[in-house]
Amino acid sequence: MSEAEKLYEGKAKIIYPTAEPEVLLTYFKDDATAFNAQKRGTIAGKGAINCTISSKIFQRLEREGIPTHFIDQPEPNQMRVRRVTIVPVEVVVRNIAAGSLCKQTGLPPGKELKPPLVEFFYKNDALGDPLLTIERLLVMELATKEQVEQLRDMALRINELLKGIFHECGITLVDFKLEFGIDSDGKLLLADEISPDTCRLWDEAEADPQKRVMDKDRFRLDLGQVEAAYERVLERILGGNIVT
Ligand code: TMP
Ligand code: ASP
């Protein structure tokens, strides 16, 4: 795969075309960024780990009736996916208060959110991915009212499934970010990735608020043992046989 062939390069992934027009190849990088790329680094082995975790989760979600862009994983750090046009909205679901929610509202970290909170962010690096209201989202014509309802319903359904999958692995799903795309038939598919880069994951067996963190917060907050945490999530997912 040459530089010239690249279709798109993001902070954590590169997308290449394939011989089939409706199929793209996603290459997962070891590069890590946080706080809108103000903090940069590398997490050794992350590409293959995130690609494998995402692949297993997408396969399980497909089995549970969620349409995703996943086709297969030809190499540990490569995923073949259906070509979609990404909806420029990041859908965040929160089961426990953390991160930007606490920073912006003063809610105490760790507060359980029942029912789960669904938030929409504008996927736009230049603007720093701002939080959207539904009204803004509609004015900006990022999605229709019906699509917003569909995104919310799918995100909540995915949350219930993911909470169960991670619980099977001894992990608490605190929050996560989803991206969706529309394929050439106009169908809404779950896209991007689901990994320790895009979820907050806490070890159920660990009460210590720093030790329990198994996700990118270890990198964001300089908690150390970043690679080891990603590897532990992979081991749990593989050991949990979530796709059998
Ligand atoms: P936040 O608390 O920083 O808004 O993050 C909420 C969730 O979304 C958390 O699980 C991390 C994930 N996330 C991404 O996947 N990409 C991003 O760019 C950001 C800001 C958060
Ligand atoms: N990956 C995001 C960025 O660098 C932020 C994050 O995940 O915290 O913009």
Side-chain angles (χ1 to χ4, degrees):
M1 288 171 300
S2 71
E3 280 284 308
E5 278 181 290
K6 265 185 214 173
L7 207 61
Y8 170 81
E9 178 158 6
K11 286 175 283 198
K13 292 188 285 296
I14 307 175
I15 298 177
Y16 296 93
T18 70
E20 296 165 78
E22 294 305 320
V23 177
L24 302 177
L25 185 71
T26 307
Y27 169 89
F28 284 63
K29 301 194 278 189
D30 287 355
D31 298 350
T33 63
F35 313 116
N36 204 17
Q38 288 177 62
K39 182 179 167 81
R40 289 175 183 275
T42 302
I43 301 174
K46 175 171 87 81
I49 292 174
N50 280 0
C51 185
T52 305
I53 294 171
S54 288
S55 296
K56 295 284 176 204
I57 291 177
F58 281 145
Q59 284 174 76
R60 170 71 176 265
L61 290 177
E62 281 278 354
R63 234 170 250 197
E64 306 274 2
I66 302 290
T68 80
H69 71 159
F70 177 81
I71 298 173
D72 57 18
Q73 187 191 6
E75 296 289 337
N77 62 350
Q78 292 173 21
M79 189 191 287
R80 292 198 318 137
V81 301
R82 269 174 268 278
R83 183 192 281 267
V84 292
T85 304
I86 291 286
V87 179
V89 173
E90 300 192 342
V91 185
V92 168
V93 183
R94 302 180 189 271
N95 296 304
I96 297 175
S100 70
L101 176 67
C102 298
K103 254 188 227 161
Q104 294 174 6
T105 64
L107 275 172
K111 183 184 164 62
E112 231 189 298
L113 304 170
K114 271 190 178 168
L117 179 63
V118 180
E119 295 183 321
F120 301 98
F121 292 82
Y122 184 26
K123 186 175 158 62
N124 183 315
D125 284 340
L127 296 176
D129 294 349
L131 176 67
L132 294 171
T133 60
I134 306 272
E135 289 77 9
R136 283 187 183 184
L137 202 155
L138 295 176
V139 166
M140 293 163 73
E141 298 182 2
L142 298 179
T144 63
K145 226 173 185 170
E146 292 68 35
Q147 282 171 328
V148 173
E149 280 317 303
Q150 205 184 347
L151 290 174
R152 178 192 297 280
D153 290 349
M154 272 178 86
L156 285 171
R157 175 118 189 282
I158 292 165
N159 181 44
E160 288 311 311
L161 294 168
L162 285 182
K163 269 200 295 186
I165 294 168
F166 281 113
H167 179 58
E168 285 171 36
C169 302
I171 295 172
T172 302
L173 177 63
V174 175
D175 60 27
F176 58 97
K177 183 261 304 181
L178 299 175
E179 293 185 29
F180 293 88
I182 296 172
D183 72 7
S184 56
D185 298 327
K187 192 172 171 191
L188 194 66
L189 304 181
L190 177 62
D192 194 47
E193 66 177 286
I194 296 178
S195 73
D197 268 11
T198 62
C199 303
R200 283 197 175 89
L201 305 169
W202 292 351
D203 188 346
E204 282 178 7
E206 185 59 74
D208 182 280
Q210 295 206 346
K211 283 193 199 148
R212 70 185 173 192
V213 174
M214 302 176 84
D215 58 75
K216 196 168 152 189
D217 270 354
R218 298 210 76 83
F219 170 78
R220 293 189 188 99
L221 308 173
D222 292 317
L223 300 180
Q225 308 232 301
V226 186
E227 284 87 359
Y230 277 64
E231 273 159 24
R232 278 203 298 146
V233 175
L234 176 65
E235 276 165 24
R236 300 265 190 106
I237 291 282
L238 294 178
N241 278 326
I242 66 165
V243 195
T244 52

